[in-house]
């Protein structure tokens, strides 16, 4: 469907000029169907209203507990259900976590994200995580964790320890979700997000594309995120990294320009959020990443590894930033 042929009017200021929480499915789908140049023009215009267009926030990510997860997320090498050859590791000692945080800071990261492969953490785990958060904060970094589903009490404890952000992705549209995960529901995800908000934490929440979903699903994911009572402060958009042994290995690759369109629609629908290029950057050319920045991406994960998959080395990122005249945003630079 092309936007010009649809009954949705995308020309009015209501669509592009304000923060909205009432996106209709047809409007989101019509954004994806705009001519590429129009979509990028609108996205870049919205981006310039709210952000310095040449500044990119940089986060660093560390897997603090790897593998042996009881969930069945079809994209994930950390699920105990798939044989991917990934070594299983228990919760990392505090001193090793803080050593990695120091290195991340030296390389220019402003936020340090720690990921643990759990369905949900135990209370005794939370106390160890809180020590990590306190240590990361003492280094002058923002702290983010992703630990799975949380109770009210755990969420409050993390906030008390000084946590800035909690990451919990919706992954895909509500309709496509059961194709990807069967061990927890979409509503479980939304409930955890609500708890995180109630505790006063910032939310990092996005999804993954390239999992065989349609444009409708990509639009559906963004509609869910944009219609939350408050937009997530960070919206990571991941490109599926296909890992041998997971059910999604061998999925047809996503057209790179569809990925760029997804970034542009994210920028338009959540104008004040940091839109983050996350997993899958290793497979992206510099030119594709440049288009993503033009479409409104303004955050990246930086460093050699994401949770378990590769990430462009820091030097390649620095070269790309120089070529594009981009700067790394300072600490606490989020709008
Ligand atoms: S994405 Fe998270 S919850 Fe799902 S299998 Fe991987 S580690 Fe477990």
């Amino acid at each position: 469907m092309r936007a010009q042929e649809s009954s949705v009017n995308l020309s009015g200021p209501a669509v592009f000029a304000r923060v909205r929480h009432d996106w209709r499915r047809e409007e989101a789908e019509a954004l994806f169907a705009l001519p590429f140049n129009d979509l990028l023009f609108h996205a870049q215009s919205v981006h310039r209203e709210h952000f310095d267009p040449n500044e990119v926030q940089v986060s660093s990510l560390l897997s603090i507990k790897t593998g042996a997860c009881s969930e069945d997320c079809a994209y994930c090498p950390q699920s105990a259900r798939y044989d991917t050859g990934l070594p299983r590791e228990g919760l990392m000692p505090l001193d090793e976590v803080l050593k990695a945080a120091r290195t991340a800071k030296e390389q220019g990261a402003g936020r340090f994200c720690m990921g643990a492969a759990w369905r949900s953490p135990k209370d005794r785990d939370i106390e160890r995580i809180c020590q990590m958060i306190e240590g990361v904060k003492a280094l002058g970094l923002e702290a983010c964790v992703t630990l799975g589903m949380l109770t009210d009490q755990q969420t409050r404890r993390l906030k008390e320890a000084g946590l800035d952000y909690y990451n919990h992705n919706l992954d895909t549209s509500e309709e496509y979700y059961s194709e990807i995960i069967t061990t927890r529901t979409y509503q479980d995800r939304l409930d955890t997000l609500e708890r995180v908000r109630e505790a006063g934490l910032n939310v990092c929440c996005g999804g993954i594309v390239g999992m065989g979903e349609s444009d409708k699903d990509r639009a559906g994911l963004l509609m869910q995120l944009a219609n939350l009572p408050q937009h997530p402060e960070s919206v990571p958009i991941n490109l599926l990294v296909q890992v041998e042994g997971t059910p999604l290995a061998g999925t047809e690759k996503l057209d790179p320009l569809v990925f760029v369109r997804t970034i542009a629609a994210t920028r338009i629908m959540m104008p004040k959020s940091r839109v983050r290029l996350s997993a899958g950057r290793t497979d992206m050319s510099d030119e594709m990443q440049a288009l993503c920045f033009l479409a409104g991406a303004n955050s990246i994960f930086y460093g050699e590894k994401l949770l378990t998959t590769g990430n462009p080395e820091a030097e390649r990122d620095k070269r790309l930033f120089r070529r594009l005249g981009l700067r790394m945003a300072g600490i606490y630079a989020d709008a």
Side-chain angles (χ1 to χ4, degrees):
M1 176 188 70
R2 299 191 63 80
Q4 304 92 311
E5 295 160 3
S6 82
S7 58
V8 178
N9 176 13
L10 286 178
S11 59
V15 173
F16 296 113
R18 65 185 171 87
V19 175
R20 296 175 52 192
H21 300 271
D22 59 353
W23 283 89
R24 288 182 293 123
R25 173 72 75 132
E26 312 86 83
E27 289 176 309
E29 285 177 20
L31 276 183
F32 276 85
L34 280 172
F36 189 78
N37 286 348
D38 290 349
L39 178 60
L40 258 68
F41 172 76
H42 289 306
Q44 177 64 204
S45 304
V46 168
H47 189 50
R48 281 168 185 264
E49 269 183 47
H50 301 286
F51 290 100
D52 177 336
N54 298 310
E55 194 181 70
V56 174
Q57 185 264 344
V58 174
S59 297
S60 183
L61 178 60
L62 176 71
S63 178
I64 56 171
K65 184 264 168 191
T66 304
C69 180
S70 61
E71 302 290 275
D72 71 349
C73 310
Y75 51 83
C76 183
Q78 304 209 62
S79 169
R81 295 161 195 248
Y82 315 132
D83 184 10
T84 59
L86 187 74
R88 301 168 173 202
E89 289 163 18
L91 193 56
M92 203 181 252
L94 178 63
D95 56 339
E96 281 182 34
V97 172
L98 296 184
K99 190 171 159 218
R102 259 180 238 110
T103 305
K105 188 176 179 190
E106 281 161 20
Q107 288 182 339
R111 186 179 308 162
F112 192 66
C113 308
M114 296 168 275
W118 282 317
R119 172 181 167 83
S120 48
K122 299 194 173 56
D123 287 344
R124 67 167 186 270
D125 300 322
I126 290 287
E127 286 313 310
R128 290 181 63 191
I129 300 287
C130 285
Q131 290 174 354
M132 294 174 190
I133 293 167
E134 284 159 4
V136 167
K137 297 287 295 186
L139 293 173
L141 288 160
E142 289 182 313
C144 174
V145 294
T146 182
L147 311 172
M149 294 183 280
L150 298 175
T151 63
D152 284 332
Q153 200 191 347
Q154 290 174 336
T155 319
R156 281 196 297 271
R157 182 70 193 93
L158 292 170
K159 172 73 180 169
E160 274 168 24
L163 184 67
D164 296 292
Y165 285 79
Y166 193 77
N167 165 265
H168 201 62
N169 291 334
L170 284 179
D171 290 343
T172 188
S173 69
E174 190 166 11
E175 295 75 15
Y176 198 63
Y177 189 80
S178 61
E179 301 288 322
I180 303 298
I181 299 150
T182 66
T183 47
R184 52 166 196 264
T185 65
Y186 213 69
Q187 191 57 47
D188 288 333
R189 304 300 275 180
L190 292 168
D191 290 347
T192 296
L193 288 171
E194 199 178 321
R195 278 192 193 105
V196 167
R197 271 289 179 225
E198 273 170 13
L201 290 165
N202 293 311
V203 170
C204 172
C205 180
I208 308 173
V209 296
M211 299 195 293
E213 76 287 335
S214 64
D215 266 352
K216 275 184 191 303
D217 294 310
R218 289 182 277 275
L221 166 68
L222 296 184
M223 191 189 71
Q224 285 282 350
L225 293 167
N227 289 349
L228 288 169
Q230 197 177 333
H231 290 170
E233 280 75 11
S234 291
V235 183
I237 302 293
N238 297 276
L239 177 62
L240 175 70
V241 178
Q242 299 193 11
V243 179
E244 217 44 63
T246 60
L248 292 185
T251 305
E252 192 181 337
K253 292 253 168 108
L254 188 72
D255 175 350
L257 295 182
V258 173
F259 185 84
V260 177
R261 283 179 178 276
T262 309
I263 295 289
T266 308
R267 166 53 63 224
I268 290 166
M269 292 174 71
M270 287 166 277
K272 293 187 173 182
S273 303
R274 287 274 173 191
V275 177
R276 177 172 307 129
L277 299 181
S278 301
R281 273 204 312 127
T282 306
D283 291 339
M284 296 178 199
S285 66
D286 284 0
E287 292 76 12
M288 179 177 167
Q289 292 187 61
L291 276 178
C292 289
F293 293 128
L294 187 65
N298 62 348
S299 174
I300 59 165
F301 272 127
Y302 183 71
E304 282 176 18
K305 261 198 155 192
L306 292 185
L307 285 176
T308 58
T309 56
N311 199 31
E313 344 62 78
E315 279 314 309
R316 179 185 156 194
D317 285 335
K318 282 186 182 154
R319 261 198 317 275
L320 177 60
F321 274 39
R322 275 197 297 275
R323 286 172 73 200
L324 298 176
L326 292 174
R327 293 184 309 276
M328 289 184 187
I331 299 170
Y332 304 116
D334 272 9

